[in-house]
Amino acid sequence: MKTQVAIIGGGPSGLLLSLLLQKAGIDSVVLERQTKEHVLGRIRAGVLEQGLVGLMRDVGVADRLDKEGILHDGTVLSYGEDRLRIDFREHTGTPVVVYGQTEVTRDLYDARDRLGMDTVFEVEDVTLHDLDSDAPSVSFTKGGDTVRIDCDFVAGCDGFHGVSRKSIPASVLREYERVYPFGWLGILSETPPIHEELIYANSDRGFALCSMRNPMLSRYYVQCSLSDKVEDWSDEAFWDELKRRIPSVDAANLVTGPSIEKSIAPLRSYVCEPMRWGRLFLCGDAAHIVPPTGAKGLNSAAADVHYLNEALRDHYLNGSDAGIDSYSARALARVWKVERFSWWMTSLLHRFPDQNDFDLKMQQAELAFLRESDAARSALATNYVGLPY
Ligand code: PHB
């Protein structure tokens, strides 16, 4: 096989990149290790920045998002019984859109199907070759056959555990990491959301988040111990714990019901540098991970995709490699600011096992300053709605 850009990974970043390239007349092939059903079964965060919404519009995939996405003009932070609202619209003029990442992925697949764009699912043994030459290639096996794709470039959109980052020589790669000493236990339930906006709660018992997907589907999380198992948490125990971590005025509005999904996710901050090696470009989780506080995972992947799309357009349409040469530095400049914000939100709102009284006072002072300072709330809002590309 032959293509211009081989895209490793059929998650939202790879799919979005393929559609943006297609619009510019650039040919690509998407390889995915799992089945489509598996990809669409993954539940991720559900808050979209305007930048990502704009990219979805650019590729003509925003109809359902425009209809079903819920605009949020602000969010609530709580500390015990104290509530503080951050007004995005007042500080930035911009709302965020609540729409599940799973739905974004579904819309991107549907658009690719309409355009007759093929995805190769269930590929195994994906190997990247000659990335530091002018003629890279990708090989994989599928159903016992070995296939090779000759290409000009490889886009590594295959997540934290994918092969792309591992194809960069260890002598070149620098890694930066923080692993947090707790996880998030999340449930999805077919119940009306507790409040019209998200509630991020810090409490003596730990962090909790009240989120939503639509008017009859809610997503809730509580900070849990890394040794906890999903089986340890009955629905009843979850609801009980959630209620104790949020202000009582909100707890009074909680509608509980059976969970339709329950899972535990660890929290990690991670960045690798550089994000380009030869003809390989990393996008999204393949290069960086954020803890979910602030919902930046997909949004920061979308910014990478935007930079890479511009770089490849410049190469193919304008004969300039300036974008390719600056891709890593441009993407990382934004990535680090998003890492900082996600780390800051996580540090502000969670209870750390080794936290002493001084650390607790720092969280309280930070929240008091947010309450009193327009500038502090504006900084939070600016980061939450999304830094410019
Ligand atoms: C979610 O709805 O799953 C969600 C929302 C906001 C976050 C993280 C997760 O910060």
Side-chain angles (χ1 to χ4, degrees):
M1 289 169 79
K2 207 171 161 25
T3 191
Q4 288 174 304
V5 182
I7 299 177
I8 317 298
S13 328
L15 302 176
L16 181 60
L17 178 65
S18 73
L19 286 163
L20 287 162
L21 294 177
Q22 195 264 356
K23 204 177 149 199
I26 301 165
D27 186 48
S28 67
V29 171
V30 174
L31 304 181
E32 168 57 45
R33 205 163 57 87
Q34 305 285 357
T35 62
K36 190 191 217 175
E37 291 66 37
H38 181 100
V39 176
L40 290 174
R42 298 195 283 232
I43 298 178
R44 298 286 153 81
V47 178
L48 312 186
E49 297 176 356
Q50 292 301 327
L52 171 51
V53 173
L55 291 172
M56 296 281 283
R57 287 217 178 93
D58 285 352
V59 291
V61 187
D63 286 359
R64 197 160 71 97
L65 169 59
D66 282 333
K67 256 207 312 271
E68 296 175 19
I70 314 170
L71 296 183
H72 280 212
D73 285 340
T75 192
V76 174
L77 306 186
S78 73
Y79 188 93
E81 292 291 337
D82 291 340
R83 292 166 106 256
L84 167 66
R85 179 167 184 267
I86 308 292
D87 191 323
F88 305 146
R89 187 92 66 172
E90 172 197 344
H91 290 291
T92 69
T94 315
V96 292
V97 182
V98 168
Y99 190 73
Q101 173 170 333
T102 311
E103 305 314 310
V104 170
T105 310
R106 194 186 307 281
D107 294 345
L108 292 167
Y109 270 122
D110 288 351
R112 284 172 50 87
D113 288 349
R114 281 197 301 276
L115 291 163
M117 296 166 76
D118 232 5
T119 311
V120 190
F121 290 100
E122 296 182 272
V123 297
E124 294 178 274
D125 308 316
V126 173
T127 312
L128 315 184
H129 308 275
D130 303 318
L131 294 166
D132 55 347
S133 79
D134 289 346
S137 63
V138 178
S139 65
F140 61 91
T141 58
K142 178 163 165 115
D145 295 330
T146 300
V147 182
R148 195 179 100 181
I149 306 178
D150 292 320
C151 55
D152 298 335
F153 299 100
V154 179
C157 305
D158 51 349
F160 186 66
H161 298 288
V163 300
S164 297
R165 184 181 66 255
K166 294 176 190 137
S167 307
I168 301 179
S171 58
V172 174
L173 202 71
R174 273 207 72 175
E175 298 179 280
Y176 304 82
E177 184 172 47
R178 165 145 311 170
V179 176
Y180 299 88
F182 40 72
W184 276 19
L185 168 66
I187 71 163
L188 198 61
S189 76
E190 288 170 318
T191 49
I194 189 168
H195 183 60
E196 62 207 23
E197 294 178 342
L198 272 59
I199 302 173
Y200 288 88
N202 182 333
S203 83
D204 291 344
R205 301 180 65 87
F207 172 79
L209 170 61
C210 306
S211 182
M212 67 192 76
R213 290 292 176 273
N214 64 49
M216 259 320 280
L217 194 57
S218 297
R219 181 77 169 150
Y220 296 101
Y221 300 92
V222 294
Q223 171 185 348
C224 66
S225 156
L226 279 173
S227 59
D228 281 8
K229 301 266 167 297
V230 170
E231 308 80 70
D232 303 339
W233 282 89
S234 66
D235 288 357
E236 230 182 302
F238 180 91
W239 293 122
D240 203 48
E241 188 59 38
L242 176 67
K243 269 191 226 161
R244 298 171 75 169
R245 296 187 185 195
I246 57 180
S248 44
V249 283
D250 296 302
N253 294 327
L254 182 66
V255 180
T256 63
S259 64
I260 56 171
E261 194 266 354
K262 195 186 281 164
S263 53
I264 293 181
L267 276 73
R268 178 200 300 269
S269 296
Y270 172 92
V271 180
C272 87
E273 295 187 344
M275 285 174 59
R276 169 203 170 198
W277 187 66
R279 295 204 163 220
L280 168 69
F281 302 89
L282 302 180
C283 288
D285 287 1
H288 45 82
I289 297 287
V290 286
T293 334
K296 291 299 175 208
L298 174 59
N299 290 301
S300 72
D304 297 345
V305 166
H306 164 78
Y307 295 134
L308 182 54
N309 173 51
E310 281 199 342
L312 292 170
R313 284 174 84 113
D314 260 7
H315 172 85
Y316 286 109
L317 309 184
N318 306 327
S320 162
D321 280 352
I324 283 177
D325 292 336
S326 61
Y327 170 74
S328 179
R330 251 185 118 190
L332 283 165
R334 190 178 186 282
V335 161
W336 277 116
K337 284 171 242 167
V338 175
E339 289 285 339
R340 185 205 68 82
F341 176 67
S342 303
W343 159 82
W344 176 81
M345 282 277 282
T346 303
S347 310
L348 178 67
L349 296 169
H350 290 74
R351 291 303 163 103
F352 289 68
D354 59 352
Q355 198 165 27
N356 63 22
D357 289 350
F358 179 85
D359 300 322
L360 205 57
K361 286 287 188 191
M362 289 300 97
Q363 285 187 340
Q364 292 166 358
E366 187 92 51
L367 284 159
F369 185 60
L370 276 168
R371 187 179 293 285
E372 289 156 22
S373 164
D374 210 51
R377 287 193 302 281
S378 174
L380 197 165
T382 301
N383 282 282
Y384 198 96
V385 303
L387 299 175
Y389 289 170

